[in-house]
């Protein structure tokens, strides 16, 4: 069963912020939201994760709605190297499984 | 984070043969996993490699086809046995330390083409 829903694709302009949405309406109280990305021909790269508070690191920001049913990954200044498939994954703290959906194919254009 | 290497990075094999893929981590980790990514598809977990005991396989994957070893806390192997063209995929290992909220880190993957 899919726990998250993401748009299949989106285009972004280089230098602009990229906002990637994710719906996870059935998320449980002990489940975290993780984001990974996979650049072509490489292994998935961890980006960020959060429980209910907004999070920021050197790569991105994660905004989680108050009801936790959706979230947005923000790449503040997209570059061509950010072109990748982005995966939003819901996972509980005691579950080792990462269930990858189809993700969002993000294309950053010059 | 963790630095993970896989060998080989890619290979072309004949059907009916077997290939063993190695995964090496730069530090001790508790959990190691093997995933498969078929062409144009997302990642699917094959199994959890358990140190000192048999691997735990996900539904649809069996030990005879994908035997796994994990002799210590930094190394694991996955063998793809009796290969067919349907086994052509990227095989990835991932690792995780335990304690608190964990992050899983992935290796670069092994690209396998079976002719």
């Amino acid at each position: 069963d899919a726990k998250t829903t993401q748009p299949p694709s989106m285009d972004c302009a280089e230098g602009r912020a990229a906002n990637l949405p994710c719906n996870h309406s059935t998320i449980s109280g002990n489940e975290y939201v993780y984001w990974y990305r996979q650049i072509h021909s490489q292994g998935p790269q961890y980006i960020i994760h959060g429980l209910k508070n907004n999070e920021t690191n050197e790569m991105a920001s994660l905004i989680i709605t108050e009801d936790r049913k959706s979230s947005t990954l923000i790449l503040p200044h997209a570059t061509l190297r950010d072109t990748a498939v982005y995966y939003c994954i819901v996972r509980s703290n005691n579950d080792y499984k990462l269930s990858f959906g189809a993700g969002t194919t993000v294309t950053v254009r010059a | 984070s963790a630095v993970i290497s896989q060998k080989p990075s890619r290979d072309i094999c004949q059907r009916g043969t077997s290939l063993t893929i190695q995964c090496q981590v730069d530090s001790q980790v508790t959990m190691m996993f093997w995933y498969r990514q078929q062409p144009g598809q997302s990642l699917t977990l094959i199994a959890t490699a358990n140190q000192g005991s048999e691997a735990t396989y996900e539904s649809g994957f069996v030990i005879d086809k994908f035997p796994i070893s994990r002799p210590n806390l930094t190394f694991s192997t996955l063998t793809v046995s009796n290969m067919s063209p349907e086994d052509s995929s990227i095989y990835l290992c991932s690792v995780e330390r335990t304690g608190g909220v964990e992050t899983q880190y992935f290796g670069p993957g092994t690209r396998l083409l079976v002719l």
Side-chain angles (χ1 to χ4, degrees):
Chain A
D1 290 341
K3 286 189 171 183
T4 64
T5 304
Q6 298 177 252
S9 64
M10 61 185 297
D11 285 0
C12 305
E14 187 180 23
R16 304 292 295 271
N19 298 300
L20 284 61
C22 180
N23 287 322
H24 30 80
S25 58
T26 61
I27 192 169
S28 300
N30 66 341
E31 290 182 318
Y32 289 73
V33 179
Y34 282 77
W35 283 84
Y36 282 79
R37 73 180 183 183
Q38 187 174 26
I39 298 171
H40 183 62
S41 300
Q42 299 181 20
Q45 178 188 23
Y46 165 78
I47 301 174
I48 199 167
H49 72 275
L51 181 63
K52 54 183 178 181
N53 297 322
N54 298 336
E55 302 288 344
T56 296
N57 62 21
E58 64 280 3
M59 290 185 66
S61 295
L62 174 60
I63 308 299
I64 302 174
T65 58
E66 192 168 341
D67 64 7
R68 301 185 70 236
K69 293 185 177 182
S70 66
S71 60
T72 301
L73 179 74
I74 301 172
L75 307 177
H77 304 286
T79 71
L80 299 179
R81 288 178 291 182
D82 292 322
T83 292
V85 179
Y86 287 77
Y87 298 99
C88 170
I89 300 169
V90 167
R91 175 193 177 192
S92 70
N93 196 21
N94 55 12
D95 183 3
Y96 57 84
K97 288 186 183 183
L98 286 176
S99 297
F100 286 82
T104 297
T105 299
V106 174
T107 303
V108 180
R109 302 190 187 278
Chain B
S1 64
V3 178
I4 305 164
S5 61
Q6 287 185 231
K7 290 181 180 180
S9 59
R10 59 180 62 231
D11 208 342
I12 301 174
C13 301
Q14 297 298 318
R15 69 173 66 209
T17 63
S18 298
L19 176 72
T20 295
I21 303 167
Q22 298 179 3
C23 177
Q24 180 76 54
V25 194
D26 67 338
S27 58
Q28 292 186 347
V29 294
T30 302
M31 308 291 286
M32 294 185 78
F33 309 93
W34 286 97
Y35 288 79
R36 179 177 73 181
Q37 187 171 29
Q38 295 176 299
Q41 304 297 312
S42 189
L43 282 76
T44 301
L45 180 64
I46 297 172
T48 302
N50 300 311
Q51 197 261 331
S53 64
E54 193 172 284
T56 304
Y57 290 85
E58 298 298 306
S59 175
F61 298 96
V62 295
I63 188 172
D64 290 346
K65 177 66 176 177
F66 298 102
I68 289 170
S69 78
R70 187 166 174 204
N72 56 50
L73 294 177
T74 63
F75 185 79
S76 177
T77 66
L78 168 76
T79 299
V80 186
S81 302
N82 188 25
M83 288 183 286
S84 67
E86 292 71 35
D87 294 320
S88 298
S89 298
I90 300 174
Y91 292 87
L92 301 117
C93 73
S94 69
V95 305
E96 197 171 293
R97 297 182 178 88
T98 57
V101 179
E102 290 303 325
T103 299
Q104 208 166 113
Y105 297 98
F106 286 80
T110 295
R111 283 183 168 273
L112 172 61
L113 176 63
V114 184
L115 302 177

